[in-house]
Amino acid sequence: ETEDGAEADGTSDPAEETTTTAPATVTKVTGSMSFQAAGLTQAQVSAAAKTTLVATLGVAATDLSVTVTKGRRLQEATADSWTVAYEAVVEATAAAALKTKAEAAADTGKAAFETALTANLKAEVEKDGGDASAIAGVTVTMAAPEVVTEDKEEEDSLAQGVVDPSAAWHAGAASAALALALRW
């Protein structure tokens, strides 16, 4: 046996090998919130919401994604309507505790969450050189969070663009049928 643990013939000792397997499922805690505020950009809302959620939920920023949607402003309204959907990828054992934190932010901790979000929105506007004085206390409406468990293989195949071959065949057949129909 050599110093690096390999056998003299170049093979390794199977008793010394370790194998790690990836979890078969991915657990996510998802939720959303909405509020109204004027004079913000989508990037500012995204950054402020993510900062607030990371601090409130106690998750790493790399494990949290946010999607921000700006609603249509009614003619008489002075503020824009914003919706923020979030998704935190967590260990299955941490999902229930994270869901409880999200529920608390919408209930007993709502005032603190709104104060933190307002401060973070102001900070983002000021960071961009804007006037944050128009941003007053933001009132947030939060949807109940959900715990979602997905098959990791399915998520990996979607992330890599792997498509069910039969679905691709059907799509190709439909395209061919459409092309034939257009020729007539």
Side-chain angles (χ1 to χ4, degrees), residues 43-53 116-117 120-122 124:
Q44 291 166 336
V45 172
S46 180
K50 187 165 186 170
T51 299
T52 306
L53 286 164
L117 180 61
N120 288 327
L121 288 168
K122 287 182 177 187
E124 286 298 320

Side-chain angles (χ1 to χ4, degrees), residues 156-183:
D156 288 345
S157 67
L158 291 174
Q160 296 172 6
V162 176
V163 179
D164 176 3
S166 64
W169 181 86
H170 289 293
S175 295
L178 179 61
L180 283 174
L182 292 175
R183 287 186 191 159

Side-chain angles (χ1 to χ4, degrees), residues 60-74:
T62 55
D63 294 335
L64 181 76
S65 63
V66 296
T67 304
V68 175
T69 307
K70 182 178 180 180
R72 294 180 50 179
R73 183 189 294 197
L74 299 175

Side-chain angles (χ1 to χ4, degrees), residues 33-37 40 44-53 56 82 84 110-124 135-142:
M33 64 177 150
S34 59
F35 60 92
Q36 292 189 346
L40 299 170
Q44 291 166 336
V45 172
S46 180
K50 187 165 186 170
T51 299
T52 306
L53 286 164
T56 301
W82 295 96
V84 179
K110 186 176 180 201
F113 185 86
E114 290 172 338
T115 300
L117 180 61
T118 300
N120 288 327
L121 288 168
K122 287 182 177 187
E124 286 298 320
I135 301 172
V138 174
T139 301
V140 178
T141 302
M142 296 181 92

Side-chain angles (χ1 to χ4, degrees), residues 18 20 24 32-33 58 70 81 106 110-111 115 122 132 134 146 148 153 168:
T18 57
T20 56
S32 66
M33 64 177 150
K70 182 178 180 180
S81 176
K110 186 176 180 201
T115 300
K122 287 182 177 187
E146 295 182 21
V148 179
E153 289 178 12

